[in-house]
Amino acid sequence: MNNFDYLHPATADEAFDKSNTTDGAVYVAGGTNIIDLWKYDLLHPSVMIDLNGISGEKGIKENEDGSVLLSALMTNAETAYHPVIEGRYPLLSRGILAGASPQIRNMATNGGNLLQRTRCYYFYDSNSPCNKRLPGSGCPAREGYNRIHAILGASEQCIAVFPSDMCVALAALDATVHVSGLTGNRSIGFEDFHRLPGDTPEIDNNLKYGEVITGIELPAKGFAKNYAYLKLRDRHSYAFALVSVAIALELDENHITEARIALGGVAHKPWRIKEAEEMLKGKSADAASFADAADIILAGAQGFEHNHFKIELAKRAVIRCGLMALEPESQLPGAQPSL
Ligand SMILES: Cc1cc2nc3c(=O)[nH]c(=O)nc-3n(C[C@H](O)[C@H](O)[C@H](O)COP(=O)(O)OP(=O)(O)OC[C@H]3O[C@@H](n4cnc5c(N)ncnc54)[C@H](O)[C@@H]3O)c2cc1C
Ligand code: SF4
């Protein structure tokens, strides 16, 4: 661990300015991931720039067109239990509450959740090679213990998965990420926010250096009637997903008129295959239809020595989550808040 300076700017401009003019400057919000990275000796910041003092929209804003803007600095707990989210976007609430523990959700912020780093064991071991931590050093996970690793979208360079639960729900809801930097403001559609590893696994997302996430926008349609989030993991608390699924449906009687399916724990980003969602339109909302969708979603899946089981697990999870979405209040095991 190294010593660092701690800054608490009052405005976003001050934060950008400090981050762009100081080598080794990093932002901190809830600190639940970045302080760990520092303690594991994976990050050696010269300055930690605390974003919590910066002025701007805080909380949740309902726009006239029905869309909702979440502040990046709101905590995960404030977001999940907010009446607008519980009432209009319960899938997001369930996704957030499936993550971490109440204590962590009280500290963790929405912006930080999008930028948390992979939980690959080799990444966290500073004595191990790792292309994500040190480009060109290798990927021991490919031949090593890869139980939690990707079955979709992996590359020769990296087979890590992105561990967020919240982001799986945000992907299914078609959220937009608002960011701000020295060159101005821009918006990034959720499917373009995170990246696949390709030849540059050290880059997790399409944020530019120094940019701050200011907010997350949810479209007006919240799928509050038929939705489910199912997280399968080794234990109920403090465990990241082996596989998770977010499903949102619109139904006409028993027929699907619109479907959204996103998977977590399987790839370097939340995984959505729109062809499967299109296929479901007009189909009966039953296990057979969800099984067909699962086959499309997992068509290109490739397991490694210790994680082949995830392919079948993911298919079954899609079917089960689809059935749960027909009765969201059923709260089957795997859909309860993480303790
Ligand atoms: C034991 C444990 C279990 C966990 N289990 C789960 C789980 O099951 N599911 C899950 O989804 N998550 C889980 N998490 C991860 C947790 O959700 C994240 O650590 C948290 O959401 C990160 O938010 P933060 O505000 O603490 O981020 P920080 O740690 O403060 O920052 C994380 C990163 O984001 C950057 N950053 C933060 N805010 C902004 C911003 N507004 N703009 C630009 N950059 C920013 C920081 O520079 C840093 O790089 C777990 C964490 C722990 C410690
Ligand atoms: S999977 Fe990615 S994060 Fe894990 S060791 Fe390989 S390169 Fe590093």
Side-chain angles (χ1 to χ4, degrees):
M1 293 192 285
N2 64 302
N3 290 332
F4 56 83
D5 288 332
Y6 173 74
L7 299 179
H8 202 250
T11 63
D13 280 346
E14 214 185 309
F16 308 145
D17 197 46
K18 290 278 188 274
S19 115
N20 279 278
T21 53
T22 321
D23 279 348
V26 294
Y27 295 133
V28 59
T32 61
N33 191 210
I34 203 159
I35 301 293
D36 270 355
L37 295 171
W38 169 66
K39 286 198 285 192
Y40 277 97
D41 211 19
L42 306 182
L43 185 80
H44 309 103
S46 61
V47 181
M48 283 224 192
I49 304 173
D50 189 337
L51 295 174
N52 287 292
I54 64 177
S55 49
E57 294 283 359
K58 295 271 158 68
I60 283 181
K61 183 176 164 219
E62 287 186 89
N63 298 319
E64 275 179 16
D65 64 359
S67 62
V68 165
L69 188 64
L70 309 175
S71 152
L73 287 168
M74 233 179 139
T75 67
N76 284 174
E78 284 166 343
T79 309
Y81 292 120
H82 194 287
V84 170
I85 301 305
E86 284 188 321
R88 291 186 53 198
Y89 304 94
L91 175 60
L92 177 58
S93 186
R94 294 270 171 93
I96 294 173
L97 294 177
S101 66
Q103 292 89 341
I104 292 170
R105 296 193 297 264
N106 281 336
M107 286 301 293
T109 64
N110 295 334
N113 195 300
L114 270 58
L115 299 177
Q116 62 179 291
R117 305 226 63 195
T118 183
R119 292 282 158 173
C120 170
Y121 337 103
Y122 302 98
F123 174 77
Y124 278 87
D125 175 0
S126 60
N127 293 315
S128 157
C130 167
N131 286 330
K132 185 178 276 300
R133 189 163 26 75
L134 187 62
S137 61
C139 174
R142 287 191 73 87
E143 306 299 329
Y145 190 53
N146 41 37
R147 184 167 186 274
I148 62 169
H149 289 77
I151 51 170
L152 290 159
S155 75
E156 283 295 314
Q157 304 292 322
C158 178
I159 61 169
V161 298
F162 178 58
S164 165
D165 291 294
M166 178 185 191
C167 291
V168 183
L170 289 173
L173 290 169
D174 262 344
T176 301
V177 186
H178 292 295
V179 308
S180 207
L182 272 183
T183 52
N185 305 328
R186 65 189 182 109
S187 303
I188 310 171
F190 211 77
E191 64 177 306
D192 297 323
F193 187 80
H194 296 102
R195 300 172 73 256
L196 291 180
D199 290 335
T200 49
E202 70 278 15
I203 307 172
D204 291 340
N205 54 63
N206 289 317
L207 212 58
K208 291 184 194 150
Y209 184 76
E211 278 182 330
V212 162
I213 300 176
T214 54
I216 300 163
E217 189 174 325
L218 303 169
K221 193 185 269 190
F223 294 93
K225 201 161 167 220
N226 290 108
Y227 63 88
Y229 187 74
L230 177 63
K231 177 176 179 180
L232 303 174
R233 50 191 144 172
D234 285 327
R235 58 174 195 271
H236 194 55
S237 183
Y238 280 102
F240 290 89
L242 287 166
V243 167
S244 66
V245 185
I247 294 194
L249 300 173
E250 225 169 54
L251 301 175
D252 180 6
E253 307 259 316
N254 191 36
H255 284 89
I256 299 167
T257 55
E258 190 167 350
R260 304 277 184 79
I261 307 178
L263 269 62
V266 295
H268 205 255
K269 60 185 284 187
W271 193 259
R272 231 181 115 184
I273 297 290
K274 292 192 180 161
E275 192 191 336
E277 299 173 1
E278 283 301 311
M279 181 282 293
L280 282 173
K281 283 187 186 165
K283 298 281 184 332
S284 303
D286 56 26
S289 301
F290 298 130
D292 289 344
D295 283 340
I296 296 174
I297 295 166
L298 276 303
Q302 188 208 338
F304 295 87
E305 186 180 352
H306 301 280
N307 73 349
H308 275 287
F309 74 95
K310 277 192 179 190
I311 300 175
E312 186 58 25
L313 188 70
K315 286 187 183 175
R316 292 183 189 207
V318 169
I319 299 167
R320 183 168 172 188
C321 190
L323 296 174
M324 285 164 63
L326 306 180
E327 274 185 90
E329 293 314 319
S330 61
Q331 284 284 326
L332 295 171
Q336 308 284 353
S338 192
L339 305 173

